[in-house]
Amino acid sequence: MGALLTIDDVHVRYGDLVALRDVSLTVAQGEVVCVIGPNGAGKSTLLAAVAGGVTPWRGSIRFGDTEVVGLRPEVVARQGLSLVPEGRHIFGTLTVDENLRIGGFIHKGRADAKADYERLLELFPRLRERLNFPAGRLSGGEQQMLAVARAVMTRPRLLLVDEPSLGLAPRIVDQIYEILLDLRQREGLTLVINEQSSNRILKHADRIYVLRGGRIQLEGRAADLADGEAIRSAYFGFGSPATLEGVTP
Ligand SMILES: Nc1ncnc2c1ncn2[C@@H]1O[C@H](COP(=O)(O)OP(=O)(O)O)[C@@H](O)[C@H]1O
Ligand SMILES: [Mg+2]
């Protein structure tokens, strides 16, 4: 299987602050790759760089055969890439139905938009039941489902998901991951997922990258990292203060 996404030596700065340095990462077609790192590690910046939201000052990002550095977000999206942003960014006063239709706007005019919508409701029966609800009245888990559904409305090949677990109970997190893995199975989606903790996702991911201080500290197959030891030292770094002991990354 060839790489669907190839990130090569990417640096991102915000003014004087270097948010990513020497970041290289590959994702094969059909893979589920998790990027784990503490708050401020650069996880969201990495996804933004891929999606065209920030422009690296060095390095290359190829989606399939296309160099996406320098392309505008909507142009990148049209290549078949979709981002579920951190914090979901759904429109609370609009209904579920309206939120989903907004997701289809990027491809408005596509003849099969209606078929896309029907397919989506089959994938998310829970949302079908709630179509006329204001999205703001959904539970946190349902809002996350809505954010994912909106992002896959356009049939992306690659889905970037920024901290889907944030603020959700463990049982709901497992449900969200079931949906994501079901999407991979049924739609052939490739997934890159950011998380702050590897706790519940090691069993779902194929490969893991640990990002800290804007650098990749560790990369490996989830199966090889299952005991969590290597992840812990990469996540906290060596000589981390004793107060961090007992914290599970
Ligand atoms: N728009 C921005 N302007 C300036 N600094 C930013 C901006 N976005 C993020 N940063 C900084 O870049 C670093 C990485 O942030 P981010 O990518 O959001 O990390 P994470 O998603 O892992 O929490 C942090 O130090 C953060 O404060
Ligand atoms: Mg973030």
Side-chain angles (χ1 to χ4, degrees), residues 173 229 246:
V173 172
E229 203 44 59

Side-chain angles (χ1 to χ4, degrees), residues 2-244:
L4 181 61
L5 179 68
T6 310
I7 300 178
D8 220 1
D9 199 23
V10 157
H11 292 233
V12 172
R13 328 171 56 138
Y14 298 110
D16 287 341
L17 185 130
V18 181
L20 293 177
R21 53 183 95 216
D22 304 321
V23 169
S24 296
L25 175 154
T26 60
V27 183
Q29 173 78 44
E31 253 194 323
V32 177
V33 168
C34 246
V35 178
I36 298 164
N39 201 16
K43 303 182 298 301
S44 295
T45 299
L46 181 63
L47 297 191
V50 174
V54 300
T55 306
W57 62 276
R58 200 172 100 192
S60 139
I61 301 176
R62 287 188 307 283
F63 180 48
D65 295 328
T66 308
E67 174 66 53
V68 296
V69 168
L71 299 184
R72 279 177 294 121
E74 61 274 22
V75 178
V76 180
R78 265 187 236 117
Q79 308 281 321
L81 181 151
S82 202
L83 169 69
V84 183
E86 188 178 326
R88 289 143 209 168
H89 293 262
I90 58 160
F91 299 97
T93 57
L94 300 185
T95 64
V96 169
D97 174 69
E98 288 162 339
N99 270 276
L100 289 173
R101 289 177 191 282
I102 286 170
F105 276 179
I106 190 164
H107 287 302
K108 66 177 175 242
R110 247 173 69 158
D112 50 359
K114 196 158 178 251
D116 280 353
Y117 193 58
E118 264 312 305
R119 156 191 144 271
L120 203 71
L121 295 181
E122 270 162 39
L123 290 167
F124 295 89
R126 182 99 189 142
L127 295 180
R128 190 197 287 276
E129 292 167 17
R130 300 246 184 292
L131 274 185
N132 297 315
F133 266 58
R137 279 175 50 201
L138 301 179
S139 70
E142 288 167 341
Q143 290 188 7
Q144 186 64 70
M145 276 177 213
L146 176 57
V148 172
R150 192 176 58 188
V152 298
M153 182 92 173
T154 54
R155 294 181 185 267
R157 287 182 289 156
L158 177 64
L159 186 65
L160 312 173
V161 194
D162 202 353
E163 297 204 36
S165 304
L166 208 66
L168 300 181
R171 184 175 54 84
I172 311 295
V173 172
D174 284 338
Q175 281 176 20
I176 297 293
Y177 272 89
E178 264 168 43
I179 288 172
L180 292 173
L181 295 174
D182 186 45
L183 283 168
R184 162 167 73 168
Q185 198 73 23
R186 300 194 352 179
E187 309 260 307
L189 254 189
T190 303
L191 288 156
V192 178
I193 306 172
N194 281 351
E195 287 286 8
Q196 279 193 41
S197 157
S198 65
N199 266 349
R200 309 195 67 75
I201 51 93
L202 262 175
K203 61 175 187 275
H204 301 303
D206 296 317
R207 275 189 311 120
I208 304 272
Y209 288 83
V210 177
L211 187 65
R212 174 172 47 85
R215 287 181 193 273
I216 303 285
Q217 309 284 344
L218 176 73
E219 183 265 319
R221 302 202 61 79
D224 298 334
L225 301 170
D227 72 358
E229 203 44 59
I231 293 180
R232 264 190 294 283
S233 54
Y235 191 99
F236 293 122
F238 294 106
S240 53
T243 48
L244 286 177

